[in-house]
């Protein structure tokens, strides 16, 4: 049986996917954000935390206001045992996008593990609030907070077609409409 390939720092599987620059190597065009973050998620899933941290560091130096990248940084730091760093990353993620349920759940666990009752209670309250939202409304809220207005509008309208009396969905669509400058549209 062959041993799994390892990278320079000994992490399993790290050598299976060559490192590529966020600028696409010699190309001047940047790789799409979603592709880069998906690659980081694969690193995390395969236990290649150092690779994930390295790529996230480079990504965040170019895109410091990407909430999902900060959430992934929190996951990576928590996996390496850096609770303080993970808390800081999750805090930044939730400041950028208050609807990141995974970040709030992680903050609850991390604060509790450190004996920080007040922040754990605040995070748990946010978890409970977000868990009350229907999944499409939560996803559309995340998209709205990440400035993906058209995706949020589409998802919210689809949800409201099937659930026309959902108050949170109506509030969200109104908020999206205000940001898009649509103030006279009464249809889902």
């Amino acid at each position: 049986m062959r041993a799994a390939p390892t990278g320079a720092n000994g992490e399993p599987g790290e050598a299976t996917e060559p490192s590529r620059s966020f600028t696409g190597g010699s190309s001047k065009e940047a790789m799409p954000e979603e592709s880069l973050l998906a690659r980081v998620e694969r690193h995390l899933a395969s236990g290649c935390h150092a690779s994930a941290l390295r790529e996230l560091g480079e990504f965040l130096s170019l895109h410091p206001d990407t909430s999902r990248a900060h959430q992934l940084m929190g996951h990576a730091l928590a996996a390496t045992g850096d609770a303080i760093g993970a808390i800081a990353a999750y805090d930044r993620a939730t400041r950028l996008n208050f609807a990141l349920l995974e970040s709030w759940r992680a903050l609850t666990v991390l604060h509790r593990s450190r004996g920080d009752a007040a922040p754990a209670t605040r995070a748990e309250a946010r978890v409970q609030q977000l868990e009350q939202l229907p999944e499409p409304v939560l996803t559309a809220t995340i998209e709205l907070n990440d400035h993906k207005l058209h995706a949020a509008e589409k998802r919210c309208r689809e949800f409201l077609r099937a659930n026309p009396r959902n108050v949170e969905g109506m509030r969200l669509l109104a908020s999206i409409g205000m940001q898009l400058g649509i103030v006279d549209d009464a249809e889902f």
Side-chain angles (χ1 to χ4, degrees):
M1 182 161 100
R2 263 179 57 203
T6 59
N9 65 359
E11 283 190 278
E14 190 173 347
T16 60
E17 184 173 338
S19 179
R20 291 180 297 256
S21 169
F22 285 110
T23 57
S26 60
S27 168
K28 296 292 182 195
E29 277 186 46
M31 290 178 64
E33 175 182 313
E34 292 302 316
S35 296
L36 296 168
L37 296 178
R39 188 168 75 216
V40 168
E41 287 177 331
R42 286 191 305 273
H43 285 313
L44 289 173
S46 65
C48 299
H49 303 119
S51 296
L53 288 168
R54 183 178 56 253
E55 292 198 19
L56 282 166
E58 185 177 341
F59 180 84
L60 285 169
S61 72
L62 300 171
H63 309 283
D65 293 332
T66 305
S67 64
R68 187 167 155 225
H70 287 283
Q71 178 172 274
L72 290 170
M73 180 67 82
H75 294 340
L77 291 169
T80 64
D82 182 357
I84 303 268
I87 288 170
Y90 289 130
D91 279 342
R92 177 78 173 136
T94 58
R95 279 194 307 277
L96 291 167
N97 190 334
F98 72 86
L100 293 176
L101 183 55
E102 283 183 51
S103 288
W104 288 111
R105 284 180 176 149
L107 282 168
T108 301
V109 169
L110 289 166
H111 284 304
R112 279 201 182 121
S113 72
R114 296 179 44 76
D116 299 333
T121 301
R122 284 191 299 273
E124 177 61 30
R126 182 63 79 172
V127 166
Q128 290 174 0
Q129 178 187 27
L130 293 172
E131 285 178 337
Q132 297 302 309
L133 295 175
E135 185 64 33
V137 173
L138 178 60
T139 302
T141 303
I142 291 169
E143 291 168 335
L144 172 64
N145 292 338
D146 282 341
H147 311 290
K148 298 174 183 174
L149 299 177
H150 295 289
E153 178 191 24
K154 180 181 178 191
R155 186 178 312 278
C156 195
R157 285 184 185 279
E158 287 172 3
F159 172 76
L160 285 170
R161 278 189 202 100
N163 304 279
R165 298 197 192 295
N166 183 277
V167 175
E168 290 304 320
M170 288 188 275
R171 283 185 187 144
L172 181 60
L173 186 59
S175 179
I176 294 166
M178 293 297 291
Q179 290 192 36
L180 289 172
I182 302 169
V183 293
D184 60 351
D185 184 1
E187 290 187 27
F188 303 133

